[in-house]
């Protein structure tokens, strides 16, 4: 079971939710209504993407219950907290921003924060509150990754954390070393060559999404490469030695791996890397920590970070608050952020949602003691990534999905035997320069 995509990640619609969004001018608030006594009652509307039926995706119900508990405990306050599930966060945000406003509160669930909203001063800076309440450890890497000129406009309560998984039995059968000894990518290549030498139905790995992540991880091995990931992609970065070397290194590895084992999706009908890995048909499966919940064998399948002790972990867009609300509504919204990053809620996100919580305060391995094997495996994967020597954000988080997809697609094209990788890189540079304008 791969992690369900929320909003910008893989979502399957099972429940229709009608959201009426009006384009309001800045400073206006349409979420208030009359109370029974005739007084104006303020309502904090919170839009989120956990609309799924429990039978389809149980974690969605867990998250809704977490939200409902907050609403219940604040039912007697001056402002009512109203969670609103929707599968179309894009429209909710875009329609409001187009009218010079922003929804009361939104969980962007990995989406980028609207630059238009920032430039119009529509978003509340949460950094003063985080500092005052001493929540730096609670919000974890949100504090650094989501810092925009000294301001924090969004806090994601869970992280998109990526490494890869390996089949210990396959590597042993091939006579290959294990990832804990791989100091560089040449060790990875040698091990994959040994796996391919086994022949039969076993292949090394599925290229595509994992290729872009490998490129991402190679950049994370050097200080100059890390600097490229600190902000939006620039033409200078595209023309850099680090960018070129990372692309060509992955392209050469993937070409040896073969075009038959390449796809833009890890599950596109023709290829299903997760199913193959579960069935022992591949040595390596590029995926996030959440994959632990779907493994049938929790002893043979082990987590690993990328060579060079690199992990990919992104806070990205999460809980985001309107700056156009009343002070009372802002106060409740900030209290909700504190609640979502509390030890209690973060523990639920880890144990019941099966995600890497944002909090840097929790000892996940200790929390997993006495739990089932899959929770213990999740804890091991999360802890390994969180404690990696080099933790860098994902391409999507810093450069956007269009750029990440362009890099991934060009790497897939490079898997075909005989393709000129140098020429493919030149094509990629031209495409990316066009994308960034």
């Amino acid at each position: 079971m791969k992690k369900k995509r929320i909003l910008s990640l893989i979502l399957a619609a099972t429940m229709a939710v009608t959201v009426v969004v009006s384009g309001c001018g800045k400073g206006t608030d349409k979420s208030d209504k009359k109370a029974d006594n005739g007084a104006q009652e303020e309502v904090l509307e919170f839009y989120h993407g956990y609309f799924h039926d429990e039978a389809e995706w149980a974690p969605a119900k867990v998250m809704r219950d977490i939200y409902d508990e907050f609403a219940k405990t604040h039912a007697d306050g001056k402002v009512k907290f109203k969670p609103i599930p929707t599968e179309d966060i894009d429209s909710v945000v875009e329609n409001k921003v187009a009218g010079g406003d922003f929804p009361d509160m939104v969980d962007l669930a990995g989406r980028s924060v609207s630059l238009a909203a920032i430039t119009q001063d529509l978003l509340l800076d949460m950094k003063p509150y985080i500092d005052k309440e001493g929540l730096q450890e609670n919000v974890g890497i949100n504090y650094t990754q989501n810092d925009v000129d000294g301001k924090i406009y969004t806090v994601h309560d869970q992280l998109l954390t990526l490494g890869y998984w390996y089949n210990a039995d396959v590597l042993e059968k091939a006579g290959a070393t294990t990832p804990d000894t791989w100091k560089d990518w040449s060790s990875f290549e040698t091990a994959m060559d040994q796996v391919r030498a086994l022949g039969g139905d076993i292949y090394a790995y599925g290229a595509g999404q994992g290729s872009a992540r490998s490129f991402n991880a190679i950049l994370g091995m050097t200080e100059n490469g890390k600097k490229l990931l600190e902000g939006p992609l620039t033409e200078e970065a595209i023309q850099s030695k680090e960018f070129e070397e990372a692309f060509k290194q992955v392209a050469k590895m993937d070409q040896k791996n073969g075009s038959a084992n390449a796809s833009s999706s890890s599950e596109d009908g023709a290829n299903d890397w997760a199913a193959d890995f579960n069935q022992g048909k591949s040595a390596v499966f590029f995926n996030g920590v959440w994959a632990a919940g779907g493994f049938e064998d929790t002893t043979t399948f082990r987590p690993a970070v990328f060579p060079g002790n690199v992990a990919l972990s992104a806070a990205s867009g999460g809980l985001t608050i309107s700056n156009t609300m009343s002070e009372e509504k802002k106060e409740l919204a900030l209290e909700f952020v504190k609640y979502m990053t509390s030890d209690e809620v973060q523990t639920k996100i880890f144990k019941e949602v099966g995600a890497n919580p944002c909090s840097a305060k929790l000892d996940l391995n200790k929390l997993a003691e006495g739990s089932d094997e899959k929770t213990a495996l999740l804890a091991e994967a999360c802890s390994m990534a969180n404690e990696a020597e080099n933790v860098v954000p994902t391409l999507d988080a810093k450069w956007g999905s269009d750029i990440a997809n362009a890099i991934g697609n060009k790497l897939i094209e490079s898997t075909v035997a005989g393709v000129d990788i140098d020429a493919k890189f030149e094509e990629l540079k031209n495409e990316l320069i066009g994308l960034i304008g």
Side-chain angles (χ1 to χ4, degrees):
M1 178 185 75
K2 294 183 284 294
K3 184 180 180 182
K4 295 287 183 177
R5 186 173 174 184
I6 308 166
L7 310 178
S8 64
L9 305 175
I10 303 171
L11 281 180
T14 60
M15 176 173 152
V17 180
T18 302
V19 179
V20 180
V21 181
S22 57
C24 306
K26 182 178 177 181
T28 61
D29 195 337
K30 300 297 184 181
S31 62
D32 302 339
K33 61 181 180 180
K34 293 287 185 180
D36 293 339
N37 60 6
Q40 195 77 3
E41 180 182 81
E42 287 196 289
V43 178
L44 175 64
E45 294 181 338
F46 168 55
Y47 294 93
H48 64 85
Y50 294 99
F51 60 86
H52 314 77
D53 183 82
E54 184 177 8
E56 183 205 357
W57 189 38
K61 175 63 164 54
V62 175
M63 294 301 292
R64 291 197 298 271
D65 287 346
I66 289 173
Y67 301 153
D68 289 344
E69 179 62 26
F70 182 82
K72 180 180 178 182
T73 57
H74 292 79
D76 296 329
K78 293 181 181 179
V79 180
K80 306 301 179 185
F81 183 77
K82 183 181 180 181
I84 303 174
T86 175
E87 56 183 294
D88 194 3
I89 290 293
D90 277 335
S91 294
V92 173
V93 174
E94 291 170 4
N95 291 343
K96 278 284 192 178
V97 173
D101 205 350
F102 196 82
D104 291 352
M105 194 171 193
V106 176
D107 178 11
L108 297 174
R111 290 186 181 277
S112 299
V113 178
S114 167
L115 292 179
I118 292 176
T119 56
Q120 294 181 72
D121 194 28
L122 301 179
L123 301 180
L124 180 68
D125 173 18
M126 291 183 262
K127 189 176 186 298
Y129 178 80
I130 292 170
D131 290 343
K132 179 183 176 183
E133 295 294 320
L135 301 178
Q136 292 90 339
E137 279 194 286
N138 296 71
V139 303
I141 62 174
N142 282 281
Y143 196 77
T144 53
Q145 284 194 5
N146 287 340
D147 182 293
V148 179
D149 298 326
K151 297 182 178 181
I152 298 175
Y153 297 113
T154 186
V155 170
H156 203 173
D157 50 53
Q158 50 195 275
L159 307 177
L160 175 65
T161 303
L162 301 155
Y164 61 94
W165 299 84
Y166 68 96
N167 186 318
D169 286 351
V170 169
L171 290 181
E172 183 179 359
K173 185 178 180 180
T177 56
T178 51
D180 55 299
T181 68
W182 298 350
K183 304 301 182 184
D184 52 42
W185 283 86
S186 63
S187 299
F188 172 87
E189 288 188 76
T190 298
M192 296 304 100
D193 285 342
Q194 290 172 291
V195 171
R196 283 189 282 268
L198 289 173
D201 293 334
I202 297 178
Y203 60 95
Y205 62 91
Q209 288 182 340
S211 304
R213 291 167 183 166
S214 297
F215 167 86
N216 196 161
I218 290 173
L219 289 179
M221 292 180 67
T222 65
E223 290 305 313
N224 287 337
K226 289 176 187 175
K227 288 179 182 178
L228 302 185
L229 296 168
E230 290 178 354
L233 185 64
T234 64
E235 184 169 349
E236 182 181 5
I238 295 169
Q239 301 287 3
S240 70
K241 178 184 70 173
E242 289 77 15
F243 192 98
E244 178 178 359
E245 290 179 347
F247 177 87
K248 291 183 177 180
Q249 185 171 0
V250 177
K252 290 174 182 176
M253 289 191 299
D254 285 357
Q255 195 169 87
K256 289 171 65 178
N257 196 53
S259 59
N261 301 317
S263 171
S264 59
S265 172
S266 60
E267 184 178 356
D268 65 359
N271 300 290
D272 191 336
W273 311 137
D276 285 355
F277 187 73
N278 251 324
Q279 294 166 21
K281 294 181 179 179
S282 61
V284 168
F285 176 46
F286 292 102
N287 210 301
V289 295
W290 59 83
F295 290 147
E296 297 171 7
D297 185 339
T298 57
T299 56
T300 300
F301 303 152
R302 310 307 307 162
V305 292
F306 293 95
N309 209 341
V310 178
L312 310 182
S313 196
S316 303
L319 303 174
T320 308
I321 303 170
S322 171
N323 196 34
T324 69
M325 303 189 295
S326 68
E327 292 304 313
E328 291 78 9
K329 290 173 70 170
K330 290 178 185 177
E331 182 179 343
L332 184 61
L334 288 169
E335 190 171 340
F336 180 64
V337 172
K338 183 177 182 179
Y339 165 77
M340 290 302 298
T341 58
S342 67
D343 291 353
E344 179 184 0
V345 172
Q346 287 286 287
T347 298
K348 287 182 179 179
I349 286 174
F350 167 65
K351 285 189 170 183
E352 301 179 42
V353 177
N356 189 10
C358 71
S359 176
K361 294 176 62 179
L362 303 181
D363 183 336
L364 301 184
N365 288 315
K366 186 173 182 179
L367 285 178
E369 291 178 359
S371 299
D372 58 55
E373 292 179 350
K374 291 183 178 181
T375 301
L377 190 59
L378 173 65
E380 181 183 355
C382 291
S383 298
M384 187 179 293
N386 295 342
E387 296 165 10
E389 184 179 344
N390 301 294
V391 179
V392 295
T394 63
L395 301 182
D396 299 72
K398 287 300 180 180
W399 297 347
S401 58
D402 287 349
I403 290 172
N405 290 338
I407 294 171
N409 289 336
K410 200 59 66 176
L411 285 169
I412 291 174
E413 292 175 19
S414 300
T415 63
V416 178
V419 162
D420 186 334
I421 291 174
D422 290 342
K424 285 297 174 185
F425 181 66
E426 292 303 315
E427 291 175 15
L428 175 64
K429 286 200 298 183
N430 292 332
E431 184 176 346
L432 294 180
I433 289 171
L435 282 174
I436 66 175

